[in-house]
Amino acid sequence: MANPEATAEAAGEPDSPDAELRAQAAELFEDIPRAAEPPSGRPVTRAKVDLGAMLFFDPRMSVSGVFSCQSCHNIGIGGTDQLETSIGHGWQQGPRNSPTMLNAVFNAAQFWDGRAEDLAEQAKGPVQAGVEMNNTPENLIATLESMPGYVEAFKAAFPGEENPVTFDNFALAIEAFETTLVTPNSRFDQWLMGMDGAMTEQEKRGLAAYMDAGCSTCHAGVNFGGQEYYPFGLVEAPDPEVRPEGDVGRYQITQTEEDQYVFRAAPLRNVALTAPYFHSGQVWDLEEAVRIMANAQLGTELAEEQAQDITAFLGTLTGEQPQVIHPTLPVRTGSTPLPAPIQQDVGEGKAAD
Ligand code: HEC
Ligand code: HEC
């Protein structure tokens, strides 16, 4: 396997035919580091990561005992569920597509509308969301405290704390685990570091078109997005199927008129793995998503070849997927709360027919 570090010196070689394109790209994008830190600066320790992995994979964190974080953010398929919008508690269909949590540590804020400041704050959401895991912090803590294996793991992860099994620490452990879910060494990153052969000619044309067309005004930085908010439909409103009328994005949070239909510029790392696209999950084909973006955000009709080239380029953003060993989870005891019966007919999130 090619090793980008070994060829990184080539980055400065002025006579590489890619030098100009690379210099332009290096102004806008960064490669993914092998180890990340949460923006909070909170320390990531082995014990916290191990506990976070257990919590991430444990369906008993949901009130029904059916849904884990992994149900909707499957690490084996790009950190998504590959459904249009997620299915959660009682088989309710939620309103939005499940975004990947791979590289989410690099986002300025979490969720399609950025309503959670960081991964720890985010992790408290799904556990309690009626259409996701439908649990309460009290029942979650009772579940964790009932299993000595968890009590030990919390003690190891939060040493010195008198009562480490808390909802806050649950969230901090998950944050630590998610911080390890990064995908370095994509072909684009290899190319950026100096390896001309890491991308094909078509992919390089696609990169040039991506920058020239203006995609990089919103999708740049280490995660190719995830930093700023823009109206979805800055120039032209997308089809109501793709941008459903009920979901007004950041307006729900800020109640400010100019935030109608404003969403976070989606991070595009591993985007070739994360269909279907947009917060509505209504577009399965990446090339179609690229065309929709050009129309909606830039008012541009891309030529067929350009759309194909940009799509090919986006494929180079697929990095090394995390190799995670499924942890063995603590065994239940007589005092572990029983899974709540699943009611099939509850909830507003249920798709109407
Ligand atoms: C029933 C499916 C479901 C479950 C279970 C679930 N999620 Fe999510 N997750 C989603 C959906 C849908 C969104 C987007 C919601 C939104 O933007 O309003 C999301 C968003 C996220 C994000 C934000 C990513 C980004 O780029 O903004 C992270 C991180 C995340 N979830 C982690 C978790 C963790 C950790 C758990 C377990 C504690 C979990 N999720 C459980 C469906 C789920
Ligand atoms: C003005 C800012 C802006 C520009 C310019 C822009 N985008 Fe986007 N992009 C966004 C926003 C905001 C979203 C989230 C839309 C939503 O709510 O689903 C998005 C979503 C996407 C998605 C869907 C990702 C996913 O995981 O579902 C793709 C793919 C994408 N953009 C590619 C592009 C390409 C290619 C270009 C250039 C042709 C481009 N974008 C130009 C702001 C922009």
Side-chain angles (χ1 to χ4, degrees):
M1 281 297 285
N3 173 2
E5 275 90 5
T7 54
E9 338 51 287
E13 262 177 37
D15 50 349
S16 154
D18 290 353
E20 203 178 313
L21 186 64
R22 183 174 287 120
Q24 199 189 343
E27 299 267 304
L28 294 166
F29 313 113
E30 272 171 67
D31 58 298
I32 292 207
R34 281 191 179 271
E37 270 181 25
S40 63
R42 284 184 285 258
V44 174
T45 62
R46 186 74 251 164
K48 266 198 235 174
V49 171
D50 289 348
L51 172 60
M54 287 156 74
L55 300 168
F56 190 91
F57 280 103
D58 196 335
R60 295 168 301 181
M61 300 302 106
S62 65
V63 78
S64 61
V66 175
F67 297 97
S68 67
C69 309
Q70 166 81 354
S71 307
C72 302
H73 303 283
N74 190 313
I75 297 174
I77 45 174
T80 65
D81 54 15
Q82 246 137 75
L83 297 170
E84 290 181 355
T85 64
S86 295
I87 305 287
H89 183 75
W91 316 125
Q92 296 171 84
Q93 183 154 25
R96 287 185 183 160
N97 173 262
S98 165
T100 182
M101 76 301 157
L102 301 180
N103 306 310
V105 62
F106 302 122
N107 295 333
Q110 303 299 322
F111 289 123
W112 284 100
D113 50 19
R115 69 186 180 279
E117 195 186 325
D118 57 33
L119 290 170
E121 182 187 338
Q122 193 286 326
K124 293 180 172 178
V127 181
Q128 302 178 80
V131 295
E132 296 188 350
M133 299 163 91
N134 199 31
N135 212 341
T136 58
E138 296 70 35
N139 190 60
L140 178 88
I141 296 304
T143 304
L144 293 168
E145 281 180 337
S146 74
M147 294 184 253
Y150 268 125
V151 175
E152 284 309 309
F154 272 87
K155 274 191 194 146
F158 300 97
E161 289 187 27
E162 203 172 315
N163 176 22
V165 188
T166 63
F167 196 38
D168 283 342
N169 285 347
F170 164 89
L172 291 175
I174 288 188
E175 172 186 72
F177 173 59
E178 286 178 321
T179 300
T180 67
L181 302 179
V182 298
T183 68
N185 206 25
S186 69
R187 288 196 293 112
F188 171 76
D189 288 9
Q190 295 178 9
W191 176 86
L192 191 67
M193 287 189 273
M195 206 186 292
D196 285 0
M199 286 185 5
T200 66
E201 290 310 312
Q202 184 190 25
E203 289 160 352
K204 290 174 199 174
R205 282 200 308 274
L207 166 61
Y210 179 93
M211 294 189 290
D212 293 346
C215 309
S216 47
T217 34
C218 303
H219 300 280
V222 65
N223 226 7
F224 282 73
Q227 304 304 316
E228 309 272 355
Y229 306 98
Y230 304 92
F232 182 20
L234 182 65
V235 182
E236 236 173 82
D239 194 309
E241 199 191 308
V242 174
R243 195 196 71 178
E245 290 206 343
D247 190 347
V248 287
R250 279 186 74 74
Y251 179 77
Q252 269 152 332
I253 308 159
T254 65
Q255 306 290 320
T256 311
E257 208 47 42
E258 66 210 26
D259 280 341
Q260 291 263 15
Y261 296 106
V262 166
F263 292 88
R264 193 188 59 184
L268 301 183
R269 288 280 180 181
N270 302 300
V271 71
L273 306 181
T274 62
Y277 301 110
F278 301 120
H279 68 268
S280 58
Q282 290 298 306
V283 176
W284 284 89
D285 181 53
L286 183 53
E287 194 179 315
E288 192 189 337
V290 168
R291 288 176 191 289
I292 290 172
M293 268 284 125
N295 284 327
Q297 305 307 87
L298 298 160
T300 314
E301 198 75 49
L302 292 176
E304 196 174 318
E305 206 186 311
Q306 247 182 340
Q308 287 167 353
D309 291 351
I310 291 176
T311 307
F313 162 65
L314 292 176
T316 71
L317 300 179
T318 302
E320 279 172 15
Q321 300 300 295
Q323 299 297 305
V324 176
I325 296 174
H326 194 305
T328 303
L329 303 175
V331 66
R332 58 169 284 109
T333 65
S335 60
T336 304
L338 295 177
I342 294 170
Q343 293 165 288
Q344 303 239 3
D345 54 353
V346 290
E348 310 173 337
K350 197 169 188 290
D353 34 60

